[in-house]
């Protein structure tokens, strides 16, 4: 079954197999004449990246790439990217890849027009209004994984390499002008990345759904996003060439990012310090800490999760949902503990303080204290 759609929610989304061929046209529609493709090192030599550069070149838009991007991109990568953008005389960005390539690409387009340091635009209060809107470059986003949903987001996660903390940089102009969701680009994803990114999408939906804030639109999107992951992630994992499953997972990833405007929670609060310090895969880390956080939040979310379980066709209310999460992780080869990802217990005190300070913490349905975070880290590691 071939799925093709054009959405304008929350930006122009071109969904469907083979739609990467429209890349040059969409760049031109945003006024780009000389775009810079930003991706990560791992993707820089892959056939899908060469294909994207070929399409840009054939469309008369040149062939420029910046790929000095770490798995958890930091301010050094950003500085180098902005320099490459300015030195090359570029006028737009193609943010290409998983979360790291998308986040850094969006931030390069944004910072190309700023004189203040990037940390002045952290997602705190109205800090985003400090930005100069003039020089922000247009963005076309092309996800090659189905997880972060950064292709439809108004923020980037950038690691401060000095303090080893992940910062959320926000501005409405981070939202790409056009997003191309071509499931064929995700076919070559290794199994463990399919699993980790898919669980990231699930975590976004689950935490948004569990957040106590009022946002019924996000609530509905989160619920259907969880259903898509339940139905199609095991299929995409079992057979990477299943285009129908890959398409639905791209939708679920975008839905997770739209839904978490309602808030995230302790899964992300714990995951961010771990990723900043130990450079673990973000989605996989989320999947490992998910069961302890579900247990911790149970008093506040038991009825809500039971309702979700019923919608997802899972019997047994909260317990049934919890068992489903454990079973899904097992199916996807996700380790049970963070120790398997190289995380140790010697920095728990520090990570617990970082977790409570994380912006995601405000959306957790049960108050996360430093003591509670320590307990959760011990259970997770």
């Amino acid at each position: 079954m071939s799925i093709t759609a054009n959405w304008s929610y929350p930006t122009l989304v071109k969904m469907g197999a083979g739609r990467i061929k429209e890349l040059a046209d969409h760049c031109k529609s945003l006024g780009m004449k000389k775009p810079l493709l930003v991706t990560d090192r791992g993707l820089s030599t892959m056939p899908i990246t060469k294909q994207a550069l070929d399409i840009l070149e054939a469309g008369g838009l040149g062939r420029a790439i910046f790929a000095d991007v770490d798995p958890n991109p930091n301010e050094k990568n950003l500085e180098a990217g902005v320099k490459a953008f300015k030195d090359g005389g570029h006028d737009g960005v193609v943010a290409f890849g998983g979360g790291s390539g998308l986040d850094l690409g969006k931030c390069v387009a944004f910072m190309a027009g700023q004189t203040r340091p990037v940390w002045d635009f952290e997602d705190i209060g109205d800090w985003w209004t400090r930005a100069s809107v003039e020089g922000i470059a247009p963005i076309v986003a092309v996800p090659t994984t189905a997880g972060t949903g950064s292709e439809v987001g108004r923020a980037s996660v950038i690691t401060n390499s000095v303090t080893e903390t992940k910062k959320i940089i926000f501005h409405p102009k981070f939202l790409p002008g056009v997003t191309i969701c071509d499931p064929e680009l995700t076919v070559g994803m290794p199994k463990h990345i399919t699993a980790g990114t898919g669980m990231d999408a699930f975590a976004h939906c689950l935490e948004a759904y569990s957040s106590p804030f009022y946002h019924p639109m996000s609530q509905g999107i989160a619920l259907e996003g969880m259903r898509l992951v339940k139905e199609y992630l095991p299929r995409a994992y079992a057979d990477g060439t299943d285009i129908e499953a890959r398409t639905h997972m791209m939708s679920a990833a975008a839905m997770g990012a739209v839904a978490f405007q309602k808030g995230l929670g302790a899964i992300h609060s714990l995951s961010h310090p771990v990723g900043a310090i130990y450079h673990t895969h973000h989605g996989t880390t989320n999947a490992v800490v998910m069961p302890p956080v579900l247990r911790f939040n149970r008093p506040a979310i038991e009825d809500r999760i039971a309702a979700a379980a019923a919608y997802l066709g899972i019997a047994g209310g909260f317990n049934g949902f919890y068992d489903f999460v454990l079973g899904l992780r097992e199916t996807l080869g996700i380790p049970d503990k963070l120790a398997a990802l190289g995380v140790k217990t010697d920095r728990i005190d520090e990570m617990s303080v970082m977790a409570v300070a994380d912006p995601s913490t405000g959306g957790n349905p049960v108050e996360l204290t430093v003591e509670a975070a320590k307990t959760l880290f011990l259970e997770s590691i």
Side-chain angles (χ1 to χ4, degrees), residues 17-271:
R19 297 196 70 174
I20 188 63
K21 64 179 179 289
E22 301 170 21
L23 178 59
D25 293 339
H26 295 312
C27 287
K28 289 173 187 172
S29 76
L30 298 177
M32 295 185 204
K33 292 186 176 65
K34 198 181 179 188
L36 175 66
L37 186 143
V38 178
T39 191
D40 63 69
R41 293 188 194 93
L43 269 175
S44 62
T45 54
M46 300 280 278
I48 54 173
T49 311
K50 180 185 180 299
Q51 177 192 12
L53 290 167
D54 288 347
I55 290 163
L56 290 173
E57 193 171 37
L61 297 175
R63 187 187 189 89
I65 181 171
F66 174 79
D68 191 11
V69 180
D70 291 309
N72 290 294
N74 58 43
E75 80 286 357
K76 294 174 188 168
N77 302 154
L78 178 60
E79 204 175 308
V82 171
K83 186 177 187 309
F85 183 90
K86 289 179 174 173
D87 289 353
H90 297 290
D91 57 5
V93 167
V94 175
F96 189 90
S100 49
L102 294 171
D103 277 11
L104 197 85
K106 285 159 51 180
C107 215
V108 165
F110 171 74
M111 286 303 293
Q114 310 308 321
T115 50
R116 286 169 170 261
V118 68
W119 313 126
D120 281 7
F121 308 108
E122 197 180 338
D123 190 12
I124 296 171
D126 62 356
W127 283 19
W128 64 272
T129 59
R130 299 168 168 179
S132 161
V133 183
E134 313 292 281
I136 300 173
I139 304 160
V140 172
V142 184
T144 62
T145 65
T148 71
S150 185
E151 64 274 10
V152 293
R154 299 170 301 164
S156 286
V157 179
I158 304 292
T159 300
N160 184 324
S161 64
V162 180
T163 60
E164 293 184 314
T165 48
K166 287 192 174 192
K167 300 289 187 183
I168 297 171
I169 312 301
F170 169 86
H171 193 279
K173 290 275 187 187
F174 269 69
L175 187 66
V178 181
T179 290
I180 300 172
C181 288
D182 183 342
E184 289 181 352
L185 302 180
T186 68
V187 163
M189 260 199 295
K191 268 178 142 38
H192 72 282
I193 300 292
T194 298
T197 53
M199 287 304 288
D200 193 25
F202 189 77
H204 292 156
C205 292
L206 171 61
E207 293 213 286
Y209 179 77
S210 302
S211 153
F213 302 128
Y214 180 76
H215 199 322
M217 293 194 300
S218 284
Q219 192 76 347
I221 292 165
L223 191 55
E224 176 64 4
M226 283 193 280
R227 188 191 71 81
L228 289 177
V229 175
K230 174 182 180 278
E231 300 298 324
Y232 295 103
L233 179 54
R235 271 177 55 177
Y237 181 77
D239 175 10
T241 64
D242 183 336
I243 289 292
E244 186 186 2
R246 291 290 197 190
T247 304
H248 286 307
M249 281 308 300
M250 290 201 105
S251 294
M255 290 163 78
V258 172
F260 73 58
Q261 292 181 35
K262 182 172 176 276
L264 287 168
I267 291 173
H268 277 76
S269 307
L270 300 178
S271 180

Side-chain angles (χ1 to χ4, degrees), residues 259-285:
F260 73 58
Q261 292 181 35
K262 182 172 176 276
L264 287 168
I267 291 173
H268 277 76
S269 307
L270 300 178
S271 180
H272 284 153
V274 170
I277 291 171
Y278 293 98
H279 310 294
T280 54
H281 183 270
H282 172 67
T284 308
T285 311

Side-chain angles (χ1 to χ4, degrees), residues 281-299:
H281 183 270
H282 172 67
T284 308
T285 311
N286 282 342
V288 177
V289 303
M290 195 176 284
V293 172
L294 273 170
R295 293 195 299 269
F296 175 69
N297 286 336
R298 181 172 187 158

